[in-house]
Each structure stands twice: as C-alpha cells, then as structure tokens.
Amino acid sequence: MPQTHPVDQVPPVRQLAAFGLQHVLAMYAGAVAVPLIVGGAMKLPPADLAYLITADLLVCGIATLIQCVGVWRFGIRLPIVQGCTFAAVSPMVLIGTTGGGLPAIYGAVIVAGLAMMLLAPVFGRLLRFFPPLVTGTVILIIGLSLLPTAGTWAAGGAGAEDFGEPKNLALAAFVLVLVLGVQRFAPPALSRIAVLVGILAGTAVAIPLGFTDFGAVGDANWVGISTPFHFGAPEFHGAAIVSMLIVALVTMTETTGDFIAVGEMTERPVDRRALADGLRADGFSTVLGGVFNTFPYTAFAQNVGLVGMTKVRSRWVVAVAGGILVVLGLLPKLGAVIAAIPSPVLGGAGLVMFGTVAASGLKTLSKVEFEGNGNLTVVAVSVALGVLPVGVPTLYEKFPHWFQTVMDSGISAGCVTAIVLNLLFNHLPARGGSADGPAEASEVPAVPAQAAASADAPVK
C-alpha cells in the first residue's frame, strides 16, 4: 500500500488547530495591512475601514481553502496561505484617490483576476525557465525582502510613537530567544509550534507591561457579513485596468517563486499543471476580492518561511488556517483580539521565519555549479537588484507608475533579472572570451518537474 505523502497527511485535530492558528498569527498583520493602507489613504471612515478588514479576512480564508484543498483545476494543493498583495497598494491608492474611488478599484481588480485565470496556462509553460539557479536566487530574495518587515515590527511597527525604543527590541528579542529555545530543546510535538508558543508567551508578557491595547475589541461588532459590491457597482476605467493588469503580471511572477519554494520545502516539486492550477486559483480569488469589497490575492511569503522552519508540510494544516480566517472575517470581535498582538512580538517571530526563507534559497543554490560559468554573476546581480528597492524605497519614484509597480517589488525585480541573466549566460552560445557557454544539463532541465525536484533532492 503506497504511503501518503506528508503534504496530504491529516494530523490529529489538536495539532491541526495549533498549527493552523500558528499560520494565522504569522500572516495576520500583513493580511490587514493592505486594506488599512488603501482605506487610510482614501480617508475612509472607521466603519468602512473595519468593513474592508473583515471582507479581506473572509476572502483570505476562502482563497486559502481553494488553494490548499483544490477544486477541479483550481488550487495547487500545497500548504499555501493567501493574502492581499502589497504590489497593488500604490496603484490602488492612486486609483482610489484620483481615478474613481473604490468602485474603480474593484472594476480593475475583477478584470485583473480574469486575466490571471486566462494567463495561468501560459505561466505554467514558463516553468522550464526556473532551474535551481533561478529558483534558489528568487527564494533567497524573498527572504531578504521580508527581513526589513520583521525589523520594522520588532522596533514597534511603522508609524509607532515609540519606534525603536529599547523596550520594543527587548520584547522582540525575548520572543526570538523563546522560539529558538522551544525549537531546540522542547519535545518534537512542541517544537513544531515554536512560533505559536513564542507569540502567545510574548503577548502574555506584553499585557502587564502596557504594550497591548484591547480598546478596539469592545468597539468591534460580534458578527459581520460581507455583501457583494457593498461600496457600489464596479466601474471599469481604462487606465485603472491597465495598471492593475501590470500588477497581475508582477503578482503571478512573485507567486510562482513562492509556489516553487513551498514545493521544494515539502518535497513535492511543482510541475507545469500544478503551477497553472495554483495561478488560476489566484486569479479566481482576485475576482472574488473585487466582488466582495477587497483586493488582489497572492501567496504569502511569510508562511512559506513557517513551513520551512516547522517542517509541518500538511496542506490540511493550512486549510484549517483558512477556516480560522473565514471565522475571523465573520466575527470581527475575534479579529480585533488578534489585531491587539504587539508588533514587537510578531517581529521576534518574523526574524526566524523570514530568515528561514533566505536560508532555503541558499540551500537550493548549494546544488548549483558555480565553477567555470557565469552563475555567480547571475546570483549577484539578481540579488542586488532585488534588494535595492527594499533598502532604498524611493529609488524609482521618478519613473512611470508601471515601472514602479514592477521594480518596487524586490521579488519581481530579482525574479525577472534572474530569468533574463540565466538565459543570457546559460542558454545563448558562448562567444569570444565569455564564460564556458551554456550551463550543464542539470542547470537547464528539459522537464519542469525535474527542474524543481533537482533543487532539493532526494525526495521541500
């Protein structure tokens, strides 16, 4: 009788709940950030902001369930958590403040989601351009791009009055040390929820020290139901649609990197069909976002790090996380409780998780041959261009908005660079005094599934 793959195994109910809650806590701050930023820029009243957040959590949960469980050709059936993409923030703020408000945003989001569904098979055929050299570089860039977010949380959160205060960093350090201690010395069953233990313990310590504010819990409603087109029928403006289509291409590129990373971590390589199914689910979730008053969706990279750190590979764990998100979207008061977790607590846990993503990229690159070819240059330039917009956020502010949409995301900038340079150094014939011509066969695999599998042999 064939053994069930770890991705398809269903842990006991108690573990499912704990592991699922751990994923929710890891992504919650990022999940609510996009509606807060967009709604804040549009100066929406508090009631509308709260509505955006509950709608976002609800669709996050539905999108995660579709991605993990799978429905026909929708869903990659890997432990993937879905959330609003930050790549869409700037274009949506521009549309919302100058180009038609929320109805124009939602019209563009719906069109972008439909385009993603149509383009999913095309992206599936591009998998052969993601050998270990490219996937390892992209995974490394994903981790490095996330680390500043963890640092911002550890310092108190963006815009905090006490940003950088020693007490904030001390709380983050406490959580970091606790997570490491639990992972290293606790029994295996407990070490797998090290992040959950660290967040809960850190919050318990933070309450008497005055880090938390539960005032919003009392103001939140017990039940909140998101209805289609709450802010009016969608409007379809040409300029808004074009900008959102660019976001869709960027999001699909980033998501491809996340899918491949999780495939390696779970030891279930992503093939052409699986990639297309996952991107198709992304597109469908984005359409749902436009209908139910929220925004475009993508795979959340912070949860990729959690999978790699805990070695919990079951997609059903993340499906439970999706169920929890649905409940939070329907019960705003519970969501307000989780929102009260202090940023430094999340920062301490985030440093471990995001660092794990970067380390996974290095692990994949360790399988790549760097002698006698241009592979080192490919990695060097791709990482440099990927990290640049993270370290210098205003680097491209003088450029057109479409260019900023692509290049302000370090992940998409690094991914595109890695693909182009890999083609330049390893696919084009050598000339004159260039390196050693095309890469070895292992670097340009003929079969997509083999490309992903070779990144992390034997059998992420």
Side-chain angles (χ1 to χ4, degrees), residues 3 72 109 120 145 150 193 421:
Q3 187 177 4
W72 188 54
V109 167
S145 298
I193 56 170
L421 291 182

Side-chain angles (χ1 to χ4, degrees), residues 20 44 57 80 179 195 232 298 313 332 353 385 421:
L44 296 180
L57 292 173
I80 296 288
V179 169
V195 171
T298 186
R313 297 177 282 181
M353 294 187 300
L385 291 182
L421 291 182

Side-chain angles (χ1 to χ4, degrees), residues 63-78 80 82 113 116-127 252 255-256 259 268-286 297 299 315:
T64 299
L65 285 167
I66 294 172
Q67 201 66 269
C68 295
V69 178
V71 179
W72 188 54
R73 296 298 301 277
F74 292 82
I76 197 169
R77 294 168 175 83
L78 285 174
I80 296 288
Q82 297 284 102
M116 291 169 70
M117 293 169 64
L118 292 174
L119 290 173
V122 177
F123 263 73
R125 295 188 183 94
L126 298 179
L127 195 59
M252 294 177 80
T255 302
T256 298
F259 284 167
R268 174 173 279 181
V270 174
D271 58 18
R272 177 190 300 178
R273 173 170 174 156
L275 176 59
D277 290 350
L279 292 173
R280 193 177 291 110
D282 256 17
F284 179 72
S285 301
T286 297
Y297 283 84
R315 60 190 171 108

Side-chain angles (χ1 to χ4, degrees), residues 15-354:
Q15 292 183 4
L16 274 173
F19 294 154
L21 179 59
Q22 186 170 237
H23 272 282
V24 171
L25 295 180
M27 60 81 68
Y28 190 89
V32 301
V34 173
L36 281 174
I37 294 170
V38 175
M42 295 178 63
K43 298 183 176 7
L44 296 180
D48 286 347
L49 277 177
Y51 195 96
L52 286 180
I53 291 172
T54 54
D56 174 37
L57 292 173
L58 176 64
V59 180
C60 272
I62 295 172
T64 299
L65 285 167
I66 294 172
Q67 201 66 269
C68 295
V69 178
V71 179
W72 188 54
R73 296 298 301 277
F74 292 82
I76 197 169
R77 294 168 175 83
L78 285 174
I80 296 288
V81 175
Q82 297 284 102
C84 284
T85 173
F86 283 86
V89 168
S90 295
M92 289 192 302
V93 168
L94 187 64
I95 296 168
T97 54
T98 65
L102 286 173
I105 292 176
Y106 294 140
V109 167
I110 290 172
V111 173
L114 293 173
M116 291 169 70
M117 293 169 64
L118 292 174
L119 290 173
V122 177
F123 263 73
R125 295 188 183 94
L126 298 179
L127 195 59
R128 64 193 182 94
F129 296 112
F130 286 83
L133 173 64
V134 174
T135 59
T137 302
V138 172
I139 296 169
L140 174 60
I141 292 171
I142 291 172
L144 294 177
S145 298
L146 288 170
L147 283 173
T149 300
T152 300
W153 289 345
E161 293 182 2
D162 60 349
F163 187 87
E165 289 284 346
K167 64 176 184 178
N168 292 334
L169 297 175
L171 179 58
F174 167 75
V175 174
L176 172 61
V177 171
L178 184 58
V179 169
L180 294 176
V182 171
Q183 190 177 21
R184 174 63 181 86
F185 299 108
L190 190 60
S191 67
R192 291 176 180 173
I193 56 170
V195 171
L196 177 60
V197 172
I199 290 176
L200 293 179
T203 303
V205 170
I207 291 174
L209 296 178
F211 280 89
T212 54
D213 180 9
F214 289 98
V217 177
D219 298 333
N221 296 324
W222 279 106
V223 178
I225 304 296
S226 298
T227 56
F229 307 125
H230 173 80
F231 296 99
E235 298 176 5
F236 301 95
H237 298 180
I241 290 172
V242 170
S243 65
M244 207 55 64
L245 288 174
I246 295 172
V247 169
L249 294 175
V250 172
T251 299
M252 294 177 80
T253 304
E254 292 182 1
T255 302
T256 298
D258 291 330
F259 284 167
I260 292 174
V262 173
E264 293 179 0
M265 291 176 179
T266 58
E267 298 178 356
R268 174 173 279 181
V270 174
D271 58 18
R272 177 190 300 178
R273 173 170 174 156
L275 176 59
D277 290 350
L279 292 173
R280 193 177 291 110
D282 256 17
F284 179 72
S285 301
T286 297
V287 173
L288 280 183
V291 172
F292 285 94
N293 319 292
T294 180
F295 308 116
Y297 283 84
T298 186
F300 256 31
Q302 46 262 61
N303 295 87
V304 174
L306 188 57
V307 171
M309 175 189 165
T310 63
K311 308 295 189 230
V312 177
R313 297 177 282 181
S314 172
R315 60 190 171 108
W316 299 106
V317 164
V318 178
V320 169
I324 295 173
L325 287 168
V326 170
V327 172
L328 293 177
L330 297 174
L331 301 176
K333 199 171 285 290
L334 286 180
V337 171
I338 294 180
I341 295 175
S343 291
V345 171
L346 297 174
L351 287 171
V352 186
M353 294 187 300
F354 304 162

